[in-house]
């Protein structure tokens, strides 16, 4: 078998070496898996494992790629759907996604990574989560052959008898084209909403209006044959599968011509790869890799196109999965210059403003429910090296149907960033310290709202060489941006997320209603403010998900989202995040989000994403804290806070098949909660969880609480302090589960810490389940084990180790600041909490630099600087009517109006 494998690889190399002409599209073709390999000489079979070396398929038909890059293959004769991870990589693995299916011929994946499978044998469409949980089954299809998922999660299916059907997100199946096609075998949705359908019997490709079902011939229809060129002269031979490339062009599996073809929206046909039989040179006829001018394929039936423009195909003769790279099929927002926006409109090197990218982070399905705060992404695809120093645009929102729209609900959340400071981190692997930058938002400095015109105007107005809004000398306006998980650097990815446009969908809206939003009059300036940045505002893209466009249609529809399921993140609306199950990455996401309240990627408070992260209500349904049980199944509504109980509940639900899962959704202006199947329980023989019932007691008169504090310290350079973290736990219940984030802040130019701080808990706790450090001066962790002794009463909860830099002068000062603290006796019920910051001083700071009787130490404690304008003696930063001089004399908090 090793000899066979070497021979097969040699055919690939030989084919590449014999290339004598330049390929039309410059593709490089290679085999991903299947055919004769280390698992056996047979062409077909069923073997999982390493995709290239071992995997075997049996009549692989349709295929699709999810947002994570996995390929799903409808393995027809094996009656299953297979999943290929990391396609093309040496460690790519093939596994079984679903088995026991009756002749699957088609597979599709939507923007939320749900997987749709079409089975011809029993005429059914099944919808699964990305982890294989069955979400929906639609039957009574007649010999279906292909499917495609469009906007609003509608599925389009063609049947062998010629019918075209639409299966909406909810409601009955609709017949669009009754018997109008001659043996259709492929279907795809174009960015403008039209459908493309291929037919085997008359060797043609049609465009279909999905609203009316009317079809027009795009290319072919000239009998079986092979010819590239204009659609009226082009020929196909039994065209099968179709896919839409990111740039809006159509990719087609031309089965009996043994080629994969490319069709523009004006009908022009060309060949991507595959050659005639006369050019087949290997002993494996129709199977050789290499340059597209010589690479041979045999009987392709299915195609898919990745977000990077990679083309994948299935071939039923050798039962192969192949890949072609090096094609110019990607859309805007990629790693290079802007290529094709949609169809044949090519804007090379143009800056494009739009409501969102075609896919990935910063993209949306543009579906929102009645009563929901809907957030539309505003994005820029940038030409390489483009700098932008100011930016402005208007946004209008209007109703397309009868339900009126309230323009006063509109607002804009900026996601542009600027460096906010420097932190030093210790890299364990290299043993060296590294300087990192923190970031803060650049909020628009000009905005107006004209409700009569349904207009919101937004502007970042600044001139190069000035620093009023941001430091233009160090970076330009859109250099850094971040919505949630990833920070975009414009020069690296050639794109920026400008922000989120928020509107509230009327509570009276129905699923028949639509609303239209539009970006208008966008303009920007480079370094020379008298010039304009070339800025393209495309109007010929998609009105829904997909190709970039400055006009988008928000369609009213109710999208449920599983509580806790927030990864992967594309955007903030239901349907734009999650994958249908609870995993470790979801636990980490709520942990990270709960600790980032002072950072730029904290989730928008009234968004569906925030609501999905907010898993627990923080209080018991019984008398407060009287029963130390899990009571997780009663946690359904959330409390508007992200704290340790949300991490705990998500963690337990992600592991325990006996617990309930819940989904939330908006309908008729009200948020609803329903129980959904726990995906972990599938395939498990799970006994009901026993619940310990204890007599209920009266709720305490005072809510149980935890207060954390540290004493101030006077020290010298190059000393390691051990700060006792004092805790007062009141209310008769132990602190067992907790989460905290703290920072030792260098004040007024003091040198930053270089030795990482350490946080050592009392013996009643185990090691934290999750911890992280953003710098030597930062520590965050969560303790989720509720079976420990924990901590009760008053005493030392932990020791904080802080090493003062050797170069700290006598005027240096540091503040130990609690960014976040939340605690619980059992993981689900929250204590009331209070934290007090502490000062580390290298000299006596009881004097007043201002000479007004307020000590420097007091100003450092509350304002982080003796120079802060908020610290003026007559100032009243918390607006409670009590000025700082009085707050200082009385020892109250000048930043909290409730403290006096």
């Amino acid at each position: 078998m090793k000899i066979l494998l070497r021979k097969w690889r040699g055919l690939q190399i030989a084919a590449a070496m014999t290339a004598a002409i330049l390929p039309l599209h410059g593709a490089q073709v290679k085999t991903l898996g299947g055919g004769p390999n280390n698992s056996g000489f047979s062409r077909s079979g069923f073997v999982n494992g390493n995709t290239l070396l071992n995997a075997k398929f049996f009549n692989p038909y349709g295929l699709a790629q999810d947002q994570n890059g996995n390929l799903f293959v409808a393995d027809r004769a094996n009656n299953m759907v297979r999943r290929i991870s990391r396609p093309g990589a040496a460690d790519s693995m093939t596994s079984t996604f679903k088995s026991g299916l009756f002749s699957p011929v088609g597979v599709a994946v939507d923007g939320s990574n749900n997987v749709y499978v079409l089975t011809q044998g029993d005429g059914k469409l099944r919808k699964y989560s990305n982890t294989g949980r069955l979400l929906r089954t639609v039957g009574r299809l007649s010999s279906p052959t292909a499917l495609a998922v469009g906007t609003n999660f509608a599925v389009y299916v063609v049947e062998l008898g010629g019918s075209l059907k639409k299966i909406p997100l909810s409601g009955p199946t609709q017949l669009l084209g009754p018997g109008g096609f001659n043996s259709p075998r492929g279907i795809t949705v174009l960015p403008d909403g039209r459908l493309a359908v291929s037919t085997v019997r008359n060797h043609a490709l049609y465009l279909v209006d999905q609203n009316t079902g009317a079809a027009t011939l795009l290319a072919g229809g000239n009998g079986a044959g092979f010819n590239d060129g204009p659609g009226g002269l082009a020929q196909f031979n039994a065209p099968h599968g179709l896919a839409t490339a990111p740039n809006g062009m159509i990719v087609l599996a031309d089965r009996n011509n043994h080629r994969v073809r490319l069709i523009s929206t004006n009908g022009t046909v060309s060949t991507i790869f595959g050659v005639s039989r006369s050019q087949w040179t290997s002993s494996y006829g129709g199977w050789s890799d290499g340059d597209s001018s010589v690479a041979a394929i045999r009987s392709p039936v299915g195609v898919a196109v990745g977000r990077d423009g990679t083309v994948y195909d299935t071939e039923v003769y050798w039962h192969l999965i192949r890949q072609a790279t090096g094609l110019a099929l990607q859309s805007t927002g990629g790693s290079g210059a802007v290529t094709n926006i949609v169809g044949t409109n090519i804007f090379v090197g143009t800056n494009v403003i739009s409501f969102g990218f075609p896919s990935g982070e910063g993209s949306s399905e543009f579906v929102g429910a009645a009563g929901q705060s809907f957030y539309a992404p505003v994005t820029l695809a940038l030409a390489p090296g483009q700098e932008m120093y100011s930016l402005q645009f208007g946004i209008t929102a209007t109703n397309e149907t009868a339900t009126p729209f309230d323009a006063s609900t509109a607002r804009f959340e900026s996601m542009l960033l600027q460096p906010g400071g420097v932190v030093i981190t210790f890299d364990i692997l290299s043993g060296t310290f590294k300087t990192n930058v923190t970031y803060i938002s650049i909020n628009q400095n000009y905005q107006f709202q004209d409700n009569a015109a349904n207009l919101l105007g937004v502007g970042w107005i600044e001139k190069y060489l000035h620093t009023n809004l941001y430091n233009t000398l160090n970076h330009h306006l859109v250099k850094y941006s971040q919505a949630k998980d990833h920070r975009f650097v414009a020069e690296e990815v050639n794109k920026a997320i400008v922000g989120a446009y928020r509107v509230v969908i009327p509570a009276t809206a129905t699923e028949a209603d639509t609303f239209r939003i539009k970006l208008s009059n966008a303009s920007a300036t480079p370094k020379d403010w008298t010039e304009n940045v070339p800025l393209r505002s495309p109007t010929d893209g998609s009105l829904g998900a997909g190709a970039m466009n400055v006009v988008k249609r928000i369609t009213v529809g109710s999208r449920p989202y599983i509580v806790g399921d927030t990864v992967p993140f594309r955007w903030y609306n239901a349907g734009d995040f999650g994958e249908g199950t609870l995993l470790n990455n979801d636990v980490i996401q709520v942990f990270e989000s709960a600790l980032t309240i002072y950072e730029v990627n904290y989730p928008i408070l009234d968004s569906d994403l925030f609501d999905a992260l907010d898993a627990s209500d923080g209080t018991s349904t019984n008398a407060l804290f009287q029963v130390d049980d899990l009571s997780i199944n009663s946690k359904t509504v959330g409390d508007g806070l992200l704290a340790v109980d949300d991490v705990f509940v998500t963690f337990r639900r992600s592991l325990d098949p006996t617990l309930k899962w819940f989904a939330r959704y908006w309908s008729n202006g009200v948020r609803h909660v329903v129980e959904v199947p726990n995906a972990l329980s599938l395939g498990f023989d799970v006994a009901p969880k026993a619940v310990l019932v204890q007599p209920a007691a009266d709720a305490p008169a005072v809510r149980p609480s935890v207060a954390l504090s540290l004493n101030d310290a006077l020290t010298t350079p190059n000393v390691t302090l051990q700060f006792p973290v004092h805790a007062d736990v009141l209310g008769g219940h132990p602190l067992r589960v907790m989460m905290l984030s703290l920072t030792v802040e260098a004040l007024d130019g003091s040198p930053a810490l270089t030795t990482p701080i350490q946080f050592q808990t009392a013996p009643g706790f185990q090691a934290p389940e999750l911890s992280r450090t953003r710098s030597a001066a930062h520590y965050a962790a969560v303790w989720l084990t509720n079976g420990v002794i924990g901590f009760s009463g008053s005493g030392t909860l932990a020791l904080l180790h802080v090493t003062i830099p050797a170069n700290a002068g006598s005027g240096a000062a540091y503040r130990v600041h609690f960014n976040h603290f939340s605690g619980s006796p059992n993981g689900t019920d929250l204590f009331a909490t209070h934290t007090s910051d502490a000062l580390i001083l290298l000299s006596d700071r009881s004097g007043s630099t201002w000479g007004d009787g307020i000590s420097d130490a007091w100003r450092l404690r509350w304002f982080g600087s003796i120079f802060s304008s908020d610290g003026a003696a007559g100032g009243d930063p918390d607006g409670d009517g009590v000025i700082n001089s009085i707050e200082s004399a009385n020892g109250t908090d000048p930043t909290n109006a409730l403290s006096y």
Side-chain angles (χ1 to χ4, degrees):
M1 184 53 58
K2 292 181 179 178
I3 296 175
L4 171 65
L5 188 59
R6 285 197 297 268
K7 178 181 179 182
W8 172 55
R9 288 175 173 166
L11 292 173
Q12 302 177 43
I13 297 171
M17 292 177 63
T18 56
I21 59 174
L22 291 174
L24 182 59
H25 289 281
Q28 292 293 320
V29 180
K30 75 173 185 177
T31 300
L32 298 184
N37 57 24
N38 277 353
S39 295
F41 289 94
S42 61
R43 290 182 292 166
S44 63
F46 166 66
V47 178
N48 282 329
N50 185 279
T51 304
L52 177 63
L53 301 179
N54 302 108
K56 282 188 176 292
F57 306 88
F58 195 1
N59 281 338
Y61 252 66
L63 76 167
Q65 190 171 36
D66 68 9
Q67 300 291 322
N68 301 319
N70 301 305
L71 279 180
F72 292 83
V73 180
D75 200 357
R76 182 175 183 176
N78 276 325
N79 294 314
M80 60 181 60
V81 171
R82 314 281 289 281
R83 172 158 38 196
I84 301 174
S85 66
R86 292 173 52 81
D91 61 351
S92 172
M93 300 296 289
T94 295
S95 59
T96 300
F97 176 72
K98 276 293 165 183
S99 59
L101 302 170
F102 195 177
S103 190
V105 291
V107 63
V109 181
D110 65 24
S112 295
N113 276 341
N114 298 308
V115 181
Y116 302 77
V117 178
L118 190 67
T119 48
Q120 192 172 70
D122 56 5
K124 290 183 178 180
L125 170 72
R126 294 173 176 87
K127 178 182 178 181
Y128 299 94
S129 72
N130 202 254
T131 57
R133 181 165 59 91
L134 182 63
L135 303 175
R136 186 186 183 193
T137 301
V138 177
R140 305 184 68 179
L141 300 172
S142 179
S143 295
T145 58
L147 81 163
V149 180
T151 56
N152 307 333
F153 286 67
V155 181
Y156 301 89
V157 175
V158 286
E159 298 174 331
L160 192 60
S163 296
L164 168 60
K165 293 180 176 179
K166 177 181 179 179
I167 303 172
L169 181 65
S170 60
T173 299
Q174 304 167 15
L175 188 63
L176 294 183
F181 299 102
N182 200 345
S183 189
R185 294 282 184 167
I187 185 170
T188 189
V189 182
L190 301 182
D192 61 7
R194 290 181 298 173
L195 308 173
V197 175
S198 62
T199 60
V200 167
R201 293 291 177 84
N202 53 356
H203 314 284
L205 181 64
Y206 295 90
L207 292 183
V208 182
D209 185 327
Q210 63 169 290
N211 296 314
T212 65
T216 57
L217 181 66
L218 178 65
N222 303 308
F226 172 73
N227 190 49
D228 284 338
L233 302 177
Q235 286 184 298
F236 307 108
N237 194 347
H240 271 61
L242 298 174
T244 301
N247 67 357
M249 302 181 82
I250 302 168
V251 177
L252 177 147
D254 197 358
R255 178 172 182 171
N256 289 348
N257 275 325
H258 311 294
R259 292 173 171 90
V260 172
R261 314 286 288 278
L262 182 68
I263 303 95
S264 69
T265 52
N266 65 8
T268 301
V269 178
S270 57
T271 297
I272 298 179
F273 59 94
V275 294
S276 65
R277 281 177 171 267
S278 63
Q279 292 179 263
W280 292 359
T281 57
S282 79
S283 57
Y284 295 89
W287 179 16
S288 60
D289 290 347
D291 192 279
S292 59
S293 62
V294 294
I297 64 175
R298 189 166 184 174
S299 298
V301 292
V303 287
V305 188
R307 288 175 292 173
D308 60 354
T310 298
V311 173
Y312 304 92
D313 82 308
T314 56
E315 301 165 27
V316 294
Y317 185 85
W318 289 106
H319 309 277
L320 301 174
I321 315 296
R322 308 284 285 280
Q323 166 188 285
T325 56
L327 302 161
L329 300 179
Q330 66 268 26
S331 183
T332 58
S335 59
V338 177
T339 54
N340 299 318
I341 302 300
V342 60
T344 57
N345 298 312
I346 301 176
F347 315 126
V348 178
T350 303
N351 306 291
V352 182
I353 192 168
S354 173
F355 279 120
F357 299 119
S359 61
E361 190 162 341
S363 67
S364 174
E365 295 293 327
F366 292 94
V367 176
Q372 174 190 355
S373 292
F374 180 87
Y375 286 89
V378 176
T379 57
L380 284 167
L382 300 167
Q386 178 65 61
E387 293 183 342
M388 191 177 295
Y389 287 86
S390 65
L391 172 68
Q392 66 181 46
F393 48 79
I395 308 178
T396 55
T398 56
N399 50 295
E400 293 185 319
T401 48
T403 303
F405 177 79
D406 183 3
S408 67
T409 65
R411 74 167 187 254
F412 191 86
E413 301 274 350
S414 174
M415 293 172 184
L416 301 178
L417 306 178
Q418 59 182 319
V422 175
V423 295
I424 299 175
T425 60
F426 182 75
D427 183 48
I428 297 177
L429 294 178
S430 65
T432 60
F433 293 99
K434 295 184 177 180
T435 300
N436 297 299
V437 178
T438 60
Y439 293 85
I440 58 176
S441 297
I442 308 178
N443 294 316
Q444 60 271 25
N445 60 343
Y446 186 68
Q447 181 172 306
F448 69 88
Q449 198 156 349
D450 184 348
N451 293 336
N454 291 335
L455 173 66
L456 180 70
V458 182
W460 294 259
I461 311 301
E462 184 59 286
K463 291 172 63 177
Y464 177 59
L465 299 180
H466 291 257
T467 58
N468 298 303
L469 179 60
Y470 65 97
N471 191 349
T472 62
L473 299 176
N474 291 342
H475 60 98
H476 61 95
L477 176 64
V478 299
K479 182 179 180 67
Y480 307 106
S481 60
Q482 184 169 354
K484 184 66 184 78
D485 294 329
H486 300 101
R487 182 173 299 118
F488 290 4
V489 180
E491 284 76 8
E492 295 177 0
V493 298
N494 293 322
K495 60 183 179 181
I497 298 180
V498 179
Y501 171 66
R502 177 256 200 183
V503 293
V504 177
I505 298 174
T508 56
T510 68
E511 293 205 1
D513 287 328
T514 58
F515 301 88
R516 181 166 295 208
I517 55 177
K518 182 179 181 180
L519 283 162
S520 60
N521 300 321
S523 60
T525 61
K527 287 183 177 179
D528 184 353
W529 64 271
T530 64
E531 300 293 330
N532 288 312
V533 171
L535 198 58
R536 175 79 181 189
S537 300
T539 58
D540 50 1
S542 171
L543 288 177
M548 298 176 75
N549 212 35
V550 294
V551 181
K552 291 288 184 178
R553 173 180 290 132
I554 302 172
T555 301
V556 177
S558 184
R559 294 283 179 80
Y561 45 99
I562 295 175
V563 176
D565 176 29
T566 57
V567 180
F569 167 80
R570 290 193 299 129
W571 202 244
Y572 294 93
N573 310 309
D576 296 335
F577 56 82
E579 57 187 353
T581 191
L582 298 179
L583 300 171
N584 180 255
N585 55 12
D586 297 304
V587 179
I588 294 175
Q589 181 73 293
V590 67
F591 169 68
E592 289 283 332
S593 297
L595 298 179
T596 55
I597 191 167
Y598 299 107
E599 300 175 18
V600 295
N601 61 343
Y602 193 71
I604 299 175
L605 288 176
D606 64 345
S607 66
D608 289 333
L609 178 70
F610 185 96
D611 192 55
L613 290 164
D614 185 15
S616 174
D617 60 11
T619 58
S620 175
T621 56
N622 302 315
L624 189 64
F625 297 109
Q626 296 306 310
V627 181
D628 282 338
D629 62 6
L630 298 179
S631 64
I632 292 176
N633 288 339
S634 68
K635 307 298 179 180
T636 63
V637 296
D639 57 0
L641 300 172
L642 297 184
V644 69
D645 59 322
D646 302 301
V647 184
F648 181 87
V649 169
T650 304
F651 175 63
R652 292 301 298 264
R653 286 174 176 166
S654 70
L655 291 175
D656 193 338
T658 69
L659 294 178
K660 292 181 179 180
W661 284 10
F662 297 92
R664 298 176 186 154
Y665 66 95
W666 285 83
S667 178
N668 298 320
V670 178
R671 191 195 65 171
H672 300 267
V673 182
V674 294
E675 183 180 348
V676 295
N678 181 330
L680 302 176
S681 65
L682 300 178
F684 288 87
D685 185 12
V686 178
K689 177 180 288 293
V691 178
L692 176 63
V693 178
Q694 299 181 7
D698 294 334
V702 179
R703 181 185 176 94
S705 64
V706 179
L708 299 187
S709 61
L710 302 93
N711 293 325
D712 293 346
L714 185 64
T715 187
T716 57
N718 205 26
V719 169
T720 298
L721 300 173
Q722 292 188 8
F723 273 94
V725 180
H726 185 83
D728 289 305
V729 181
L730 305 177
H733 299 277
L735 171 67
R736 297 192 183 103
V737 176
M738 64 179 178
M739 181 168 64
L740 66 81
S741 170
L742 62 84
T743 305
V744 179
E745 302 169 336
L747 307 179
D748 282 348
S750 302
L753 301 188
T754 56
T755 301
I757 63 175
Q758 299 179 29
F759 191 88
Q760 179 183 356
T761 54
F765 290 90
Q766 298 177 359
E769 277 73 15
L770 291 170
S771 64
R772 68 115 189 261
T773 57
R774 291 187 177 274
S775 69
H778 173 260
Y779 178 81
V782 60
W783 292 261
L784 297 176
T785 302
N786 67 345
V788 299
I789 296 174
F791 185 91
S792 299
S794 298
T796 299
L797 173 69
L799 290 177
L800 175 65
H801 301 261
V802 180
T803 300
I804 305 302
N807 60 337
S810 61
Y814 300 86
R815 179 171 63 175
V816 182
H817 175 68
F818 288 93
N819 306 310
H820 172 97
F821 173 72
S822 53
S824 170
N826 52 20
T828 60
D829 304 308
L830 289 178
F831 286 115
T833 59
H834 177 75
T835 59
S836 299
D837 293 350
L839 289 178
I840 304 174
L841 303 175
L842 275 75
S843 62
D844 181 7
R845 304 298 293 273
S846 59
S848 176
T849 299
W850 288 42
D852 55 8
I854 298 178
S855 71
D856 289 351
W858 188 86
R859 287 190 167 99
L860 289 169
R861 182 186 310 280
W862 297 115
F863 302 109
S865 173
I866 64 170
F867 306 108
S868 171
S869 58
D870 286 339
D876 181 19
D878 57 7
D880 62 356
V882 182
I883 61 176
N884 286 332
S885 59
I886 299 176
E887 299 256 22
S888 173
N890 287 280
T892 51
D893 182 354
T895 66
N896 182 357
L898 301 178
S899 71
Y900 189 78

